[in-house]
Amino acid sequence: MKILLAAVNAKFIHSNLAVRTLCAYAKKSVHREGLEIEIAEYTINQQKDEILRDIYERAADMICFSCYIWNQVYIESLIHDLSKVLPKALLWMGGPEVSYAAKEVLLRLPEVKGVMRGEGERTFAELCKGRPLDEIQGITFRRQDGGICENEWRKPMDLDEVPFVYQDMKEFEHKIVYYESSRGCPFSCSYCLSSVDKRLRFRSVQIVKRELAFFLEQKVSQVKFVDRTFNCNHTHAMEIWKFIAEHDNGVTNFHFEISADLLNEKELELIKTMRVGLIQLEIGVQSTNKKTIQEIKRTMDFEKLSQSVRNLRRMENVHQHLDLIAGLPFEDIASFSKSFDDVYSLRPHQLQLGFLKVLKGSFMEEKKADYGLVYKSEPPYEVLYTNWLSYEDILKLKGIEQMVEIYYNSGQFEHTLPELEKMFISPYRLYEKLWEYYKEKELHSIQHKRSVRYEILLDFVKHVCGQKDDGIHAKYVRELLIYDYYLRENAKTRPSFAGENPLGKEKKRRFYEEEAVRHKYLSGYEAYDKNQIRKMTHLEYFPVLQKTVLFDYMHRNPLNYEAYTYEMQ
């Protein structure tokens, strides 16, 4: 019997840990003659015909799909056609998107034989053994007479029983590697499926260390922990953080989702000693409205969180990604704008403005009538409006999200944005006005080149200030934009908004001739001649800022990829 585990990822750089874990556990525990298990990974950006052909040519007897909010519609479309070209194949589904609506899925998809609910390693292994379906826990299946049978849920397993799925890392050369050291979550946030299953378990630290050592030896570029709240157990977190700090290979980055208000002094002191870029932290804030936080059953002390985030920011060695969710109960525009400003003031490296997704099986779904919560009919079930936010409000926040992505999260306007913030009563108002400007000038539906984004921002400043091109403030902002542009971009074609370099060709020529001999500013360039050094750097004079800056592109900040800079007379 041949079984195919199929994953349809959101992007090419993603890999699917779930199907690999199911496969590894089954191969370890099932000894059935003639059993063959394969893994196939695709993306939602591929043509469906291409995936259909590949699955058909693999000629599997049973095909199991891993289902999430980002791929559910895509997979269902595939299943309709797959059942036509492979009518004898048994089709199964599993994953969070179908676990809590299994009967509904089977009623909607008559082609599907069954759904694996919740934790799947043992369930899949028993399917591989060929056990009678009515004896397998954790499944909902279609009987021979067409009736639907839902078996009891399966008890959680010991995480130490889950095999390590990584061996040959060549196939992950350009992909994110996902790793799991715990399952479940101690908290009960109403919008999250982890609130349904509070059975928190940890993988033994000694096993985790052995497996992380493999990643470090292989010099994997990034390992992303999928643990819901990595630092909920301080002993577990400290042991792992100590290990990666002590065995740092100078290459591998580790991503953790944490609760910043749980960080203690020992953890902060340890993090302070880490290499720049060794770890990055994703921190869910969601809202700073106390009534909202209480209603969604979230545990968070925003004052403690803020203090930890500021401490981490001062360390300048850890990338921080903070999240907000629009559409939560009791959060109207005024409340959300305050949440936005509260989190923005912490200056995270990225501020993710997300929108509530009403997941099947979550407590949020149960309360939808109470909240006047209306959301999209298809995955990802994103909010359309609530008792507190109209659809028009949601559209405005979508636009603000777009502006935040372009101008804040890109990290390309680090010196310009603080100056623009001074022109408005709050950061939220800046991005709101910027979105209004994009709409007014019909810029929002166009894919702009990077340099054009700078020009738009300069025009926006002139529009807001009501100044002509020669206004002193516009000139000041223009120089900040030029500074930001060359901080990230080794551009040899000068952008139109920058005009001519005031330094002049002759002064630049003399500088590079002298630098090639004396190496007064640039270390590590001793093997290069003046022309090579010129290509690897940029020299700019800023009349309004009153400084000359040398941008060094060979040496960049590993945290934000900015060029190192040197100011000179």
Side-chain angles (χ1 to χ4, degrees), residues 436-449:
E436 289 173 3
Y437 181 76
Y438 259 70
K439 285 207 300 180
E440 178 186 336
K441 301 296 182 182
E442 298 184 348
L443 301 167
H444 57 296
S445 58
I446 304 171
Q447 283 287 92
H448 300 285
K449 292 192 301 183

Side-chain angles (χ1 to χ4, degrees), residues 175-308:
K175 294 189 175 185
I176 298 171
V177 172
Y178 295 94
Y179 182 78
E180 179 181 47
S181 77
S182 68
R183 279 185 190 173
C185 182
F187 305 119
S188 303
C189 303
S190 63
Y191 53 83
C192 179
L193 287 180
S194 294
S195 64
V196 178
D197 182 1
K198 294 177 63 66
R199 296 168 291 185
L200 178 60
R201 291 148 288 148
F202 296 90
R203 197 164 175 82
S204 296
V205 170
Q206 291 308 313
I207 295 176
V208 173
K209 288 180 180 179
R210 185 170 66 245
E211 293 167 350
L212 295 185
F214 172 80
F215 293 136
L216 290 163
E217 289 166 6
Q218 297 290 315
K219 293 189 184 312
V220 172
S221 60
Q222 185 181 58
V223 177
K224 191 166 185 176
F225 277 66
V226 297
D227 304 40
R228 298 304 303 165
T229 307
F230 175 76
N231 64 326
C232 63
N233 182 311
H234 293 290
T235 303
H236 181 82
M238 277 293 284
E239 282 289 307
I240 293 172
W241 279 341
K242 277 183 183 177
F243 181 83
I244 64 175
E246 291 169 0
H247 297 81
D248 180 19
N249 60 13
V251 175
T252 305
N253 162 265
F254 294 89
H255 176 106
F256 301 94
E257 183 178 332
I258 70 163
S259 287
D261 52 324
L262 297 182
L263 287 172
N264 59 36
E265 288 301 318
K266 287 185 178 180
E267 289 166 340
L268 287 168
E269 283 301 314
L270 174 61
I271 291 172
K272 189 176 182 179
T273 67
M274 293 179 177
R275 165 178 60 87
V276 177
L278 174 60
I279 69 170
Q280 62 188 52
L281 303 176
E282 182 176 347
I283 300 165
V285 181
Q286 321 316 7
S287 172
T288 63
N289 183 322
K290 290 182 179 180
K291 191 173 182 180
T292 297
I293 292 298
Q294 183 179 3
E295 181 67 19
I296 64 176
K297 305 181 185 302
R298 183 164 177 77
T299 304
M300 181 190 68
D301 185 328
F302 185 66
E303 288 185 12
K304 286 185 179 180
L305 182 147
S306 300
Q307 184 178 356
S308 293

Side-chain angles (χ1 to χ4, degrees), residues 450-486:
R450 184 186 163 197
S451 60
V452 174
R453 299 290 189 191
Y454 290 77
E455 293 176 22
I456 292 172
L457 203 56
L458 184 58
D459 290 340
F460 170 70
V461 171
K462 295 172 184 176
H463 173 80
V464 171
C465 296
Q467 294 175 329
K468 297 180 181 178
D469 291 358
D470 59 352
I472 187 64
H473 190 258
K475 285 184 177 180
Y476 181 65
V477 172
R478 176 175 167 273
E479 287 197 0
L480 290 174
L481 285 167
I482 296 170
Y483 188 95
D484 279 335
Y485 185 81
Y486 282 109

Side-chain angles (χ1 to χ4, degrees), residues 352-517:
Q352 181 68 46
L353 201 169
F355 293 81
L356 178 65
K357 295 169 179 59
V358 186
L359 304 178
K360 292 184 181 300
S362 68
F363 184 69
M364 186 65 70
E365 185 191 28
E366 292 181 24
K367 297 280 286 183
K368 61 186 177 184
D370 295 343
Y371 301 148
L373 181 52
V374 177
Y375 51 93
K376 293 181 180 178
S377 302
E378 293 186 343
Y381 312 113
E382 194 171 86
V383 62
L384 292 170
Y385 58 87
T386 71
N387 285 339
W388 301 273
L389 282 179
S390 67
Y391 182 55
E392 186 175 349
D393 292 333
I394 292 290
L395 292 178
K396 178 194 288 187
L397 293 178
K398 286 280 187 180
I400 291 171
E401 176 202 22
Q402 189 177 334
M403 297 298 98
V404 170
E405 283 296 314
I406 293 169
Y407 290 103
Y408 185 86
N409 288 343
S410 67
Q412 296 169 359
F413 302 87
E414 287 290 302
H415 296 81
T416 307
L417 285 177
E419 182 62 26
L420 267 59
E421 289 162 21
K422 298 174 186 176
M423 300 163 58
F424 297 89
I425 60 172
S426 71
Y428 175 86
R429 185 63 174 158
L430 162 61
Y431 292 97
E432 182 183 47
K433 293 298 289 184
L434 189 53
W435 171 242
E436 289 173 3
Y437 181 76
Y438 259 70
K439 285 207 300 180
E440 178 186 336
K441 301 296 182 182
E442 298 184 348
L443 301 167
H444 57 296
S445 58
I446 304 171
Q447 283 287 92
H448 300 285
K449 292 192 301 183
R450 184 186 163 197
S451 60
V452 174
R453 299 290 189 191
Y454 290 77
E455 293 176 22
I456 292 172
L457 203 56
L458 184 58
D459 290 340
F460 170 70
V461 171
K462 295 172 184 176
H463 173 80
V464 171
C465 296
Q467 294 175 329
K468 297 180 181 178
D469 291 358
D470 59 352
I472 187 64
H473 190 258
K475 285 184 177 180
Y476 181 65
V477 172
R478 176 175 167 273
E479 287 197 0
L480 290 174
L481 285 167
I482 296 170
Y483 188 95
D484 279 335
Y485 185 81
Y486 282 109
L487 199 57
R488 295 288 293 272
E489 188 81 14
N490 184 10
K492 297 312 172 188
T493 302
R494 196 167 177 82
S496 58
F497 77 89
E500 292 293 326
N501 190 335
L503 200 59
K505 294 181 180 180
E506 182 59 26
K507 285 186 178 179
K508 287 195 290 183
R509 182 185 64 78
R510 289 203 304 269
F511 168 80
Y512 283 110
E513 285 179 349
E514 186 175 341
E515 185 63 21
V517 175

